[in-house]
Amino acid sequence: MRKSITCIICPNGCQMKVEYSEATGLQIAGFRCERGAEYGKNEFCRPKRIFTSSVKISGANRGMMPVRSNRPVPKEKLMDCMKEVKKISLNAPILERQVIIPDILNTGADIIASMTLERKK
């Protein structure tokens, strides 16, 4: 199995080639630093992403509020996270970084508010 990966850890944007076979194991080429090698390994074996979305909010000067995960979640769980977030509706006030959903889907990541929204006056 082979995959081309562009590293996003630093501005270099290394173009890595990652390959796995039972005979040779995991082979990574094209990185310039150890952080890049680790990124290539993780992206190949178990990719993760920061989850971002919006939720409904009442009592504020806007109807939607941006939320995100406080750490990356497994890429294969992103759509399931979306389904969970879609179920909720908030009431103002909400503070930036306030936990909205703790440990979403047992990923170890909390869904947090991306901004503060005061109660509408």
Side-chain angles (χ1 to χ4, degrees):
M1 183 172 177
R2 268 182 218 183
K3 191 172 187 180
S4 294
I5 296 172
T6 301
C7 183
I8 61 170
I9 296 300
C10 73
N12 287 328
C14 296
Q15 299 296 311
M16 297 183 285
K17 303 288 184 205
V18 184
E19 184 173 349
Y20 176 81
S21 72
E22 287 189 30
T24 61
L26 189 64
Q27 302 288 315
I28 305 172
F31 60 90
R32 296 183 203 166
C33 66
E34 288 306 310
R35 289 181 5 177
E38 185 67 20
Y39 175 80
K41 174 183 160 192
N42 290 336
E43 187 65 14
F44 184 82
C45 297
R46 189 158 187 235
K48 293 182 175 183
R49 301 288 185 270
I50 294 291
F51 172 82
T52 61
S53 187
S54 298
V55 296
K56 294 176 189 173
I57 186 164
S58 301
N61 288 327
R62 57 191 307 167
M64 299 294 284
M65 172 162 201
V67 296
R68 66 178 179 85
S69 60
N70 64 342
R71 63 180 42 97
V73 298
K75 189 176 175 182
E76 69 271 9
K77 291 196 173 194
L78 290 175
M79 293 310 292
D80 292 331
C81 287
M82 185 67 70
K83 290 174 187 172
E84 290 300 308
V85 166
K86 192 175 181 178
K87 294 176 186 176
I88 64 171
S89 180
L90 304 174
N91 292 307
I94 299 290
L95 299 175
E96 184 176 8
R97 293 189 214 103
Q98 181 176 331
V99 174
I100 307 301
I101 303 174
D103 192 20
I104 190 164
L105 301 173
N106 300 311
T107 61
D110 297 333
I111 301 302
I112 60 172
S114 296
M115 67 187 307
T116 294
L117 282 180
E118 301 294 334
R119 181 169 292 288
K120 183 172 34 177
K121 296 178 182 182

